[in-house]
Amino acid sequence: MNILIVEDEPNYADTLEMFVDELGYQTIGIAEEGQKALKFFRSKQPDLVLLDINIEGEMSGIDLARIFQAERPTPVIFITSYDDKDTFNKAKETVPSAYLIKPFDPVQLERSMELATLRAYTTSHEEDVFEDNRHVVLAKDFFFVKERNKLVKLMITDILWVSVEDKYCILHTENKKFVIRQSLKELADKLNPQEFVQTHRSHIVNIKKVEDIDLSQFTIAINGEEVPLGKSYKDNLIHRLQTL
């Protein structure tokens, strides 16, 4: 998370920078007056602003917060020595994420920062603009197969055949094999029955990839390899094929 610090007291500015660093965040700029703060804000686009109210120059921290929210709504935490109600009410108009009084409590500041970013970047950005889409399968012509920490795209049309070993299904393609922990029945439910057919108790083939069927040897040739054809599956396969 990138943090902009706007503070004209050097000791407080240094303390805040060290605090941000200890939390594992990045300080993208320290500004003691409004114009410099605006320059950092527009060029660095911080995720969060730690903002003093009484700063050098013509603009106050409250003025800056108004500009920030008008240009690019960003979480702002005021850290100020002003604890009067009038200043608080003016600051409240900018809808800050928190209003902390100096000297600030590090634990309170840390929690305020976490809650500010949670509200700003989780609630608003995770709004689902599609209604009731949880049960809609995305793009049914391919799978994403998990390989370690990656999801690898596999076009269904690239599957030559599927075989079973123990509790795993092996998806054979021309150049690669994908191993998934899933039953043959579970996988079959996700395949198009007009293109995939079971030829053995442990095999499913992509009929479009079949090169020939040896009825005497009970084998199916795919990509130069032989896939078994079970006797109990042969009649169903032949019945469903278009033959001349």
Side-chain angles (χ1 to χ4, degrees), residues 158-163 170-174 176-178:
D158 289 340
I159 300 174
L160 304 177
W161 76 89
V162 180
S163 61
I170 303 175
L171 283 61
H172 300 257
T173 68
E174 188 171 349
K176 189 175 181 179
K177 296 179 182 179
F178 294 87

Side-chain angles (χ1 to χ4, degrees), residues 41-125:
F41 183 82
R42 289 164 177 165
S43 62
K44 302 294 186 179
Q45 297 191 343
D47 301 308
L48 175 70
V49 181
L50 302 180
L51 181 58
D52 187 15
I53 289 178
N54 185 26
I55 56 176
E56 295 179 8
E58 297 181 358
M59 286 186 287
S60 70
I62 295 174
D63 295 329
L64 269 179
R66 289 194 184 101
I67 297 173
F68 292 162
Q69 303 301 20
E71 292 190 3
R72 187 175 66 88
T74 302
V76 168
I77 295 177
F78 285 116
I79 304 175
T80 179
S81 57
Y82 289 101
D83 61 356
D84 61 285
K85 190 170 183 179
D86 184 55
T87 302
F88 174 75
N89 285 336
K90 290 179 180 178
K92 188 171 65 173
E93 293 175 359
T94 67
V95 195
S97 297
Y99 188 97
L100 306 182
I101 303 299
K102 294 178 181 177
F104 65 86
D105 178 358
V107 174
Q108 186 182 14
L109 177 55
E110 179 183 2
R111 291 173 179 172
S112 296
M113 292 169 67
E114 290 180 359
L115 289 173
T117 54
L118 184 67
R119 284 192 291 264
Y121 300 113
T122 301
T123 303
S124 61
H125 286 254

Side-chain angles (χ1 to χ4, degrees), residues 161-172 177-185 187 200-204 225 228:
W161 76 89
V162 180
S163 61
V164 175
E165 289 186 14
D166 296 325
K167 298 179 180 179
Y168 298 90
C169 278
I170 303 175
L171 283 61
H172 300 257
K177 296 179 182 179
F178 294 87
V179 180
I180 61 173
R181 189 180 177 87
Q182 197 168 103
S183 72
L184 197 64
K185 178 64 170 65
L187 180 60
H200 188 270
R201 62 183 178 84
S202 60
H203 285 76
I204 290 175
E225 298 192 45

